[in-house]
Amino acid sequence: MLEARRWPAKLVLQIVATLLVLPFLFPLVAMVQESLAGTGWNNYATVLAIPELPVFFRNSVIIAVVVIAIVYVCTMTAAFAFSKLQIRAKEFFFWLLLAALTLPEVVILAPLFATATSLGVYNTFIAVILPLAALQIPFTVLLARNFVDGVPNELLDASRVDGASTWQGFRYVVWPLTTPIGAAIVVLTLIGTWNDYLLPLVFLQDPALQTVTLVPSFFVGEFNNDQTKVVAAAVVTAIPEILAYLLLQRLFERGLSAGALK
């Protein structure tokens, strides 16, 4: 790990880090300023006064929690299998899984719609949860496999000598060491699920099932387009994922760095 010990080097690194952050900081500042334009904090009051807002937040939380659980379980077990188990043609299946990263959400929308209607799950949470989880898993497996590769094989060999099964080796040896990448997976899955707009818009027609990503649409219509309240709604709906990232920031950074630098 590189470390700057002298103050000139620290100053240079601070300047570089600041320059790298500024392009990402300006849009956030502009968004907050835009949300306070016009009537100021009354924009937020109007957003918070939407009667359906608590229901939308509840629905988003339900979908996010279930998707995170599915993605986490599938990712950890798949990463362990691809990294540590001797499976025939596992590299072929791994690259086949990564090929799914090339499929954008909009491309598979028509097949998903046909499948949801034929199975009778249209206008239910299942129609959104399963596709969202499937879209997240290829990338999270890629991250988690790189992390699990860094777990020494000697630890698993020692557990087998002590009589542990493959499942016990995963549960008591590998899984406790995957906390950092697990936190990264939780944050990335939460962001991807919470911000998704297309699937809830298409598959959740009942207003009682819709999510927070549809809140800004309350202020855009045929005869009105209040962009200040749209931006205020975007800020309000982004708060939960920002808090989640701040709470898991250290583990998130450790997981991504460990997955990149084995």
Side-chain angles (χ1 to χ4, degrees):
M1 180 69 68
L2 297 177
E3 183 178 356
R5 298 182 181 276
R6 298 182 179 181
W7 71 266
K10 293 181 179 179
L11 179 62
V12 171
L13 288 177
Q14 185 63 50
I15 293 174
V16 172
T18 302
L19 292 176
L20 291 175
V21 169
L22 286 178
F24 301 95
L25 185 61
F26 283 145
L28 296 177
V29 174
M31 183 172 70
V32 175
Q33 288 180 337
E34 177 68 18
S35 69
L36 294 173
T39 58
W41 291 104
N42 287 331
N43 294 329
Y44 287 95
T46 303
V47 173
L48 296 175
I50 297 176
E52 298 87 352
L53 188 62
V55 176
F56 291 166
F57 267 96
R58 182 202 65 189
N59 296 338
S60 291
V61 169
I62 293 173
I63 293 174
V65 169
V66 177
V67 171
I68 288 172
I70 294 173
V71 171
Y72 182 82
V73 172
C74 293
T75 297
M76 290 296 102
T77 52
F80 174 70
F82 283 127
S83 177
K84 300 301 183 184
L85 300 184
Q86 298 299 322
I87 302 174
R88 181 178 299 178
K90 71 175 182 180
E91 291 300 323
F92 169 77
F93 289 112
F94 179 70
W95 287 104
L96 192 63
L97 181 66
L98 294 187
L101 289 172
T102 64
L103 295 175
E105 194 175 53
V106 67
V107 171
I108 60 175
L109 191 62
L112 285 177
F113 183 84
T115 303
T117 52
S118 63
L119 294 178
V121 296
Y122 181 75
N123 204 30
T124 66
F125 287 151
I126 296 177
V128 174
I129 289 172
L130 294 182
L132 281 176
L135 290 169
Q136 299 282 340
I137 287 174
F139 180 66
T140 56
V141 169
L142 175 63
L143 290 179
R145 184 190 183 181
N146 289 336
F147 189 94
V148 176
D149 283 342
V151 177
N153 292 327
E154 291 77 9
L155 293 177
L156 286 173
D157 294 338
S159 68
R160 293 190 183 98
V161 171
D162 291 336
S165 63
T166 301
W167 165 249
Q168 290 173 328
F170 167 73
R171 180 180 178 184
Y172 296 109
V173 178
V174 175
W175 184 58
L177 299 176
T178 61
T179 301
I181 195 63
I185 289 171
V186 168
V187 173
L188 291 174
T189 306
L190 174 62
I191 293 173
T193 303
W194 194 270
N195 290 338
D196 191 79
Y197 176 79
L198 185 59
L199 291 181
L201 177 66
V202 174
F203 291 104
L204 300 177
Q205 296 299 310
D206 188 350
L209 299 176
Q210 293 175 349
T211 60
V212 293
T213 53
L214 302 179
V215 172
S217 63
F218 275 72
F219 307 102
V220 178
E222 184 178 358
F223 302 106
N224 70 310
N225 187 3
D226 195 338
Q227 287 299 311
T228 57
K229 292 182 176 61
V230 169
V231 178
V235 173
V236 170
T237 57
I239 291 176
E241 53 189 330
I242 294 174
L243 293 177
Y245 172 76
L246 293 176
L247 292 174
L248 300 173
Q249 179 181 4
R250 296 184 64 181
L251 291 174
F252 177 79
E253 294 172 353
R254 283 176 53 196
L256 291 185
S257 62
L261 303 173
K262 293 187 293 180

